[in-house]
Amino acid sequence: MMNNLSDFFLRYFFIGNIQFAPGTVSSFIIAILWFFIPNVFLIQALILVSHIILGFYFCYIFTLESEHKDPGYIVIDEVCGMMIALFLLPKIIEAYIISFILFRLLDILKPSIINRSQNCNFGVGIMLDDIVAGFIAFLITAGLYI
């Protein structure tokens, strides 16, 4: 069974326990928090990379201990995807709104490579589809604002 630390992180401070749209709620909360993180490469990169590493690790552990493939209460993947979508974007509310909407649409609709990436084993798929969706949302939004 998952220990408290992994459960806490996978559900990201238990945001994943929210009954309605936990992925969207967690993405929205991260968008708000990320707005206040300075656009300093090292700061944002350290936060993002540490979350991605821990996310892959805990998702891997989850797949070893659970029969579920990608339950809705796991939101660390949305957290990381949203961080990628907002990485070093200018602190402009409209840019954050566009990036949030693009990320959620791409994560929900899962076009093309996003859909295929979720089929990876060992917890990789749990994280990878959101990472790819976040990267695509970032590229589009950055093209508009950077």
Side-chain angles (χ1 to χ4, degrees), residues 105-120 124-137 139-140:
L105 282 174
L106 289 167
D107 185 34
I108 292 165
L109 298 175
K110 299 190 187 316
S112 187
I113 191 169
I114 299 169
N115 185 48
R116 287 187 297 240
S117 67
Q118 72 179 349
N119 296 325
C120 295
V124 173
I126 295 172
M127 291 287 293
L128 193 56
D129 66 317
D130 293 87
I131 288 172
V132 174
F135 186 67
I136 293 170
L139 289 176
I140 294 168

mmCIF file of all heavy atoms in Angstrom, residues 105-120 124-137 139-140:
data_model
loop_
_atom_site.group_PDB
_atom_site.id
_atom_site.type_symbol
_atom_site.label_atom_id
_atom_site.label_comp_id
_atom_site.label_asym_id
_atom_site.label_seq_id
_atom_site.Cartn_x
_atom_site.Cartn_y
_atom_site.Cartn_z
ATOM 1 N N LEU A 105 -7.491 21.697 -22.374
ATOM 2 C CA LEU A 105 -8.081 21.133 -23.596
ATOM 3 C C LEU A 105 -7.217 19.999 -24.137
ATOM 4 O O LEU A 105 -7.737 18.930 -24.499
ATOM 5 C CB LEU A 105 -8.261 22.216 -24.659
ATOM 6 C CG LEU A 105 -9.445 23.147 -24.475
ATOM 7 C CD1 LEU A 105 -9.414 24.271 -25.518
ATOM 8 C CD2 LEU A 105 -10.766 22.392 -24.560
ATOM 9 N N LEU A 106 -5.922 20.224 -24.208
ATOM 10 C CA LEU A 106 -5.025 19.187 -24.725
ATOM 11 C C LEU A 106 -5.013 17.965 -23.809
ATOM 12 O O LEU A 106 -4.980 16.826 -24.289
ATOM 13 C CB LEU A 106 -3.609 19.746 -24.873
ATOM 14 C CG LEU A 106 -3.420 20.764 -25.998
ATOM 15 C CD1 LEU A 106 -2.087 21.490 -25.849
ATOM 16 C CD2 LEU A 106 -3.519 20.084 -27.356
ATOM 17 N N ASP A 107 -5.061 18.187 -22.503
ATOM 18 C CA ASP A 107 -5.046 17.067 -21.563
ATOM 19 C C ASP A 107 -6.350 16.276 -21.612
ATOM 20 O O ASP A 107 -6.343 15.049 -21.511
ATOM 21 C CB ASP A 107 -4.784 17.578 -20.143
ATOM 22 C CG ASP A 107 -4.628 16.447 -19.142
ATOM 23 O OD1 ASP A 107 -4.089 15.392 -19.512
ATOM 24 O OD2 ASP A 107 -5.036 16.627 -17.983
ATOM 25 N N ILE A 108 -7.445 16.954 -21.788
ATOM 26 C CA ILE A 108 -8.745 16.278 -21.823
ATOM 27 C C ILE A 108 -8.985 15.593 -23.171
ATOM 28 O O ILE A 108 -9.385 14.434 -23.228
ATOM 29 C CB ILE A 108 -9.883 17.265 -21.494
ATOM 30 C CG1 ILE A 108 -9.778 17.710 -20.022
ATOM 31 C CG2 ILE A 108 -11.253 16.657 -21.785
ATOM 32 C CD1 ILE A 108 -10.607 18.931 -19.675
ATOM 33 N N LEU A 109 -8.720 16.306 -24.267
ATOM 34 C CA LEU A 109 -8.984 15.766 -25.601
ATOM 35 C C LEU A 109 -7.909 14.789 -26.068
ATOM 36 O O LEU A 109 -8.184 13.908 -26.883
ATOM 37 C CB LEU A 109 -9.132 16.904 -26.612
ATOM 38 C CG LEU A 109 -10.286 17.875 -26.352
ATOM 39 C CD1 LEU A 109 -10.254 19.023 -27.360
ATOM 40 C CD2 LEU A 109 -11.626 17.153 -26.393
ATOM 41 N N LYS A 110 -6.690 14.957 -25.596
ATOM 42 C CA LYS A 110 -5.555 14.083 -25.898
ATOM 43 C C LYS A 110 -5.382 13.793 -27.393
ATOM 44 O O LYS A 110 -5.404 12.638 -27.821
ATOM 45 C CB LYS A 110 -5.656 12.780 -25.128
ATOM 46 C CG LYS A 110 -5.643 12.970 -23.630
ATOM 47 C CD LYS A 110 -5.509 11.667 -22.909
ATOM 48 C CE LYS A 110 -5.653 11.783 -21.425
ATOM 49 N NZ LYS A 110 -4.995 12.859 -20.762
ATOM 50 N N PRO A 111 -5.178 14.830 -28.194
ATOM 51 C CA PRO A 111 -4.957 14.570 -29.620
ATOM 52 C C PRO A 111 -3.598 13.907 -29.872
ATOM 53 O O PRO A 111 -2.635 14.140 -29.146
ATOM 54 C CB PRO A 111 -5.001 15.970 -30.243
ATOM 55 C CG PRO A 111 -4.589 16.887 -29.145
ATOM 56 C CD PRO A 111 -5.100 16.251 -27.878
ATOM 57 N N SER A 112 -3.544 13.050 -30.875
ATOM 58 C CA SER A 112 -2.333 12.500 -31.450
ATOM 59 C C SER A 112 -1.332 11.939 -30.449
ATOM 60 O O SER A 112 -1.615 10.999 -29.715
ATOM 61 C CB SER A 112 -1.672 13.568 -32.335
ATOM 62 O OG SER A 112 -0.589 13.036 -33.030
ATOM 63 N N ILE A 113 -0.154 12.543 -30.397
ATOM 64 C CA ILE A 113 0.951 12.022 -29.587
ATOM 65 C C ILE A 113 0.627 12.048 -28.092
ATOM 66 O O ILE A 113 1.141 11.231 -27.338
ATOM 67 C CB ILE A 113 2.259 12.798 -29.875
ATOM 68 C CG1 ILE A 113 3.442 12.088 -29.243
ATOM 69 C CG2 ILE A 113 2.150 14.236 -29.408
ATOM 70 C CD1 ILE A 113 4.774 12.617 -29.686
ATOM 71 N N ILE A 114 -0.229 12.948 -27.669
ATOM 72 C CA ILE A 114 -0.592 13.010 -26.255
ATOM 73 C C ILE A 114 -1.318 11.727 -25.871
ATOM 74 O O ILE A 114 -1.033 11.128 -24.825
ATOM 75 C CB ILE A 114 -1.452 14.255 -25.941
ATOM 76 C CG1 ILE A 114 -0.662 15.519 -26.266
ATOM 77 C CG2 ILE A 114 -1.919 14.256 -24.492
ATOM 78 C CD1 ILE A 114 -1.488 16.791 -26.241
ATOM 79 N N ASN A 115 -2.231 11.289 -26.705
ATOM 80 C CA ASN A 115 -2.961 10.052 -26.451
ATOM 81 C C ASN A 115 -2.023 8.849 -26.439
ATOM 82 O O ASN A 115 -2.101 7.994 -25.560
ATOM 83 C CB ASN A 115 -4.062 9.865 -27.498
ATOM 84 C CG ASN A 115 -4.912 8.659 -27.191
ATOM 85 O OD1 ASN A 115 -5.358 8.457 -26.070
ATOM 86 N ND2 ASN A 115 -5.140 7.832 -28.197
ATOM 87 N N ARG A 116 -1.123 8.784 -27.404
ATOM 88 C CA ARG A 116 -0.193 7.648 -27.479
ATOM 89 C C ARG A 116 0.768 7.623 -26.295
ATOM 90 O O ARG A 116 1.147 6.550 -25.824
ATOM 91 C CB ARG A 116 0.574 7.677 -28.795
ATOM 92 C CG ARG A 116 -0.286 7.282 -29.988
ATOM 93 C CD ARG A 116 0.558 7.168 -31.220
ATOM 94 N NE ARG A 116 1.134 8.484 -31.514
ATOM 95 C CZ ARG A 116 0.948 9.172 -32.618
ATOM 96 N NH1 ARG A 116 0.217 8.668 -33.572
ATOM 97 N NH2 ARG A 116 1.496 10.350 -32.792
ATOM 98 N N SER A 117 1.166 8.802 -25.818
ATOM 99 C CA SER A 117 2.153 8.851 -24.734
ATOM 100 C C SER A 117 1.605 8.304 -23.420
ATOM 101 O O SER A 117 2.376 7.844 -22.581
ATOM 102 C CB SER A 117 2.670 10.283 -24.535
ATOM 103 O OG SER A 117 1.645 11.125 -24.047
ATOM 104 N N GLN A 118 0.300 8.319 -23.241
ATOM 105 C CA GLN A 118 -0.261 7.816 -21.985
ATOM 106 C C GLN A 118 -0.244 6.296 -21.909
ATOM 107 O O GLN A 118 -0.536 5.731 -20.855
ATOM 108 C CB GLN A 118 -1.675 8.354 -21.767
ATOM 109 C CG GLN A 118 -2.722 7.765 -22.652
ATOM 110 C CD GLN A 118 -4.097 8.321 -22.386
ATOM 111 O OE1 GLN A 118 -4.318 9.010 -21.404
ATOM 112 N NE2 GLN A 118 -5.030 8.030 -23.267
ATOM 113 N N ASN A 119 0.122 5.633 -22.982
ATOM 114 C CA ASN A 119 0.141 4.167 -22.994
ATOM 115 C C ASN A 119 1.454 3.571 -22.492
ATOM 116 O O ASN A 119 1.599 2.359 -22.454
ATOM 117 C CB ASN A 119 -0.157 3.651 -24.406
ATOM 118 C CG ASN A 119 -1.560 4.025 -24.844
ATOM 119 O OD1 ASN A 119 -2.479 4.057 -24.035
ATOM 120 N ND2 ASN A 119 -1.718 4.333 -26.115
ATOM 121 N N CYS A 120 2.412 4.410 -22.118
ATOM 122 C CA CYS A 120 3.686 3.897 -21.594
ATOM 123 C C CYS A 120 3.454 3.231 -20.240
ATOM 124 O O CYS A 120 2.590 3.638 -19.477
ATOM 125 C CB CYS A 120 4.688 5.037 -21.442
ATOM 126 S SG CYS A 120 5.156 5.791 -23.006
ATOM 127 N N VAL A 124 5.019 5.802 -16.303
ATOM 128 C CA VAL A 124 5.504 6.838 -17.227
ATOM 129 C C VAL A 124 4.332 7.489 -17.948
ATOM 130 O O VAL A 124 4.275 8.706 -18.089
ATOM 131 C CB VAL A 124 6.532 6.253 -18.228
ATOM 132 C CG1 VAL A 124 6.896 7.272 -19.295
ATOM 133 C CG2 VAL A 124 7.767 5.765 -17.492
ATOM 134 N N GLY A 125 3.371 6.692 -18.377
ATOM 135 C CA GLY A 125 2.214 7.209 -19.099
ATOM 136 C C GLY A 125 1.363 8.164 -18.280
ATOM 137 O O GLY A 125 0.763 9.091 -18.826
ATOM 138 N N ILE A 126 1.313 7.928 -16.954
ATOM 139 C CA ILE A 126 0.539 8.810 -16.082
ATOM 140 C C ILE A 126 1.077 10.233 -16.196
ATOM 141 O O ILE A 126 0.318 11.199 -16.310
ATOM 142 C CB ILE A 126 0.597 8.336 -14.607
ATOM 143 C CG1 ILE A 126 -0.076 6.971 -14.460
ATOM 144 C CG2 ILE A 126 -0.055 9.360 -13.685
ATOM 145 C CD1 ILE A 126 0.106 6.336 -13.084
ATOM 146 N N MET A 127 2.396 10.362 -16.183
ATOM 147 C CA MET A 127 3.041 11.673 -16.224
ATOM 148 C C MET A 127 3.207 12.210 -17.644
ATOM 149 O O MET A 127 3.038 13.407 -17.887
ATOM 150 C CB MET A 127 4.426 11.581 -15.573
ATOM 151 C CG MET A 127 4.437 11.349 -14.084
ATOM 152 S SD MET A 127 3.947 12.788 -13.141
ATOM 153 C CE MET A 127 5.291 13.901 -13.482
ATOM 154 N N LEU A 128 3.543 11.323 -18.581
ATOM 155 C CA LEU A 128 4.008 11.774 -19.895
ATOM 156 C C LEU A 128 2.950 12.503 -20.706
ATOM 157 O O LEU A 128 3.255 13.502 -21.370
ATOM 158 C CB LEU A 128 4.577 10.590 -20.677
ATOM 159 C CG LEU A 128 5.385 10.933 -21.920
ATOM 160 C CD1 LEU A 128 6.539 11.870 -21.573
ATOM 161 C CD2 LEU A 128 5.902 9.660 -22.573
ATOM 162 N N ASP A 129 1.702 12.057 -20.681
ATOM 163 C CA ASP A 129 0.683 12.734 -21.485
ATOM 164 C C ASP A 129 0.498 14.184 -21.030
ATOM 165 O O ASP A 129 0.331 15.084 -21.850
ATOM 166 C CB ASP A 129 -0.644 11.969 -21.500
ATOM 167 C CG ASP A 129 -1.331 11.907 -20.145
ATOM 168 O OD1 ASP A 129 -0.641 11.676 -19.138
ATOM 169 O OD2 ASP A 129 -2.558 12.080 -20.100
ATOM 170 N N ASP A 130 0.586 14.429 -19.724
ATOM 171 C CA ASP A 130 0.439 15.794 -19.221
ATOM 172 C C ASP A 130 1.681 16.633 -19.501
ATOM 173 O O ASP A 130 1.578 17.838 -19.743
ATOM 174 C CB ASP A 130 0.135 15.770 -17.721
ATOM 175 C CG ASP A 130 -1.225 15.175 -17.452
ATOM 176 O OD1 ASP A 130 -1.320 13.938 -17.325
ATOM 177 O OD2 ASP A 130 -2.194 15.931 -17.404
ATOM 178 N N ILE A 131 2.842 16.008 -19.476
ATOM 179 C CA ILE A 131 4.076 16.717 -19.814
ATOM 180 C C ILE A 131 4.033 17.159 -21.274
ATOM 181 O O ILE A 131 4.361 18.304 -21.592
ATOM 182 C CB ILE A 131 5.305 15.834 -19.508
ATOM 183 C CG1 ILE A 131 5.490 15.743 -17.991
ATOM 184 C CG2 ILE A 131 6.556 16.350 -20.195
ATOM 185 C CD1 ILE A 131 6.548 14.746 -17.543
ATOM 186 N N VAL A 132 3.610 16.264 -22.155
ATOM 187 C CA VAL A 132 3.522 16.614 -23.573
ATOM 188 C C VAL A 132 2.457 17.692 -23.790
ATOM 189 O O VAL A 132 2.681 18.668 -24.518
ATOM 190 C CB VAL A 132 3.233 15.358 -24.435
ATOM 191 C CG1 VAL A 132 2.985 15.725 -25.890
ATOM 192 C CG2 VAL A 132 4.392 14.363 -24.325
ATOM 193 N N ALA A 133 1.303 17.548 -23.156
ATOM 194 C CA ALA A 133 0.243 18.564 -23.273
ATOM 195 C C ALA A 133 0.731 19.916 -22.761
ATOM 196 O O ALA A 133 0.471 20.961 -23.376
ATOM 197 C CB ALA A 133 -1.005 18.123 -22.509
ATOM 198 N N GLY A 134 1.456 19.912 -21.645
ATOM 199 C CA GLY A 134 2.000 21.149 -21.096
ATOM 200 C C GLY A 134 3.002 21.789 -22.033
ATOM 201 O O GLY A 134 3.009 23.016 -22.219
ATOM 202 N N PHE A 135 3.841 20.973 -22.637
ATOM 203 C CA PHE A 135 4.852 21.492 -23.564
ATOM 204 C C PHE A 135 4.204 22.110 -24.806
ATOM 205 O O PHE A 135 4.608 23.185 -25.259
ATOM 206 C CB PHE A 135 5.835 20.379 -23.948
ATOM 207 C CG PHE A 135 6.970 20.852 -24.784
ATOM 208 C CD1 PHE A 135 7.930 21.710 -24.258
ATOM 209 C CD2 PHE A 135 7.091 20.462 -26.105
ATOM 210 C CE1 PHE A 135 8.986 22.166 -25.036
ATOM 211 C CE2 PHE A 135 8.146 20.905 -26.891
ATOM 212 C CZ PHE A 135 9.094 21.757 -26.356
ATOM 213 N N ILE A 136 3.191 21.454 -25.343
ATOM 214 C CA ILE A 136 2.496 21.999 -26.520
ATOM 215 C C ILE A 136 1.785 23.295 -26.151
ATOM 216 O O ILE A 136 1.844 24.285 -26.897
ATOM 217 C CB ILE A 136 1.530 20.957 -27.114
ATOM 218 C CG1 ILE A 136 2.324 19.779 -27.690
ATOM 219 C CG2 ILE A 136 0.635 21.590 -28.183
ATOM 220 C CD1 ILE A 136 1.486 18.583 -28.085
ATOM 221 N N ALA A 137 1.113 23.327 -24.997
ATOM 222 C CA ALA A 137 0.448 24.552 -24.546
ATOM 223 C C ALA A 137 1.471 25.669 -24.360
ATOM 224 O O ALA A 137 1.228 26.826 -24.729
ATOM 225 C CB ALA A 137 -0.305 24.298 -23.237
ATOM 226 N N LEU A 139 4.405 26.001 -25.941
ATOM 227 C CA LEU A 139 4.886 26.455 -27.257
ATOM 228 C C LEU A 139 3.895 27.413 -27.912
ATOM 229 O O LEU A 139 4.298 28.439 -28.471
ATOM 230 C CB LEU A 139 5.150 25.260 -28.170
ATOM 231 C CG LEU A 139 6.352 24.402 -27.837
ATOM 232 C CD1 LEU A 139 6.434 23.194 -28.772
ATOM 233 C CD2 LEU A 139 7.645 25.209 -27.903
ATOM 234 N N ILE A 140 2.629 27.083 -27.836
ATOM 235 C CA ILE A 140 1.608 27.954 -28.447
ATOM 236 C C ILE A 140 1.549 29.292 -27.728
ATOM 237 O O ILE A 140 1.577 30.366 -28.345
ATOM 238 C CB ILE A 140 0.236 27.254 -28.450
ATOM 239 C CG1 ILE A 140 0.268 26.026 -29.368
ATOM 240 C CG2 ILE A 140 -0.868 28.239 -28.877
ATOM 241 C CD1 ILE A 140 -0.934 25.107 -29.224
#
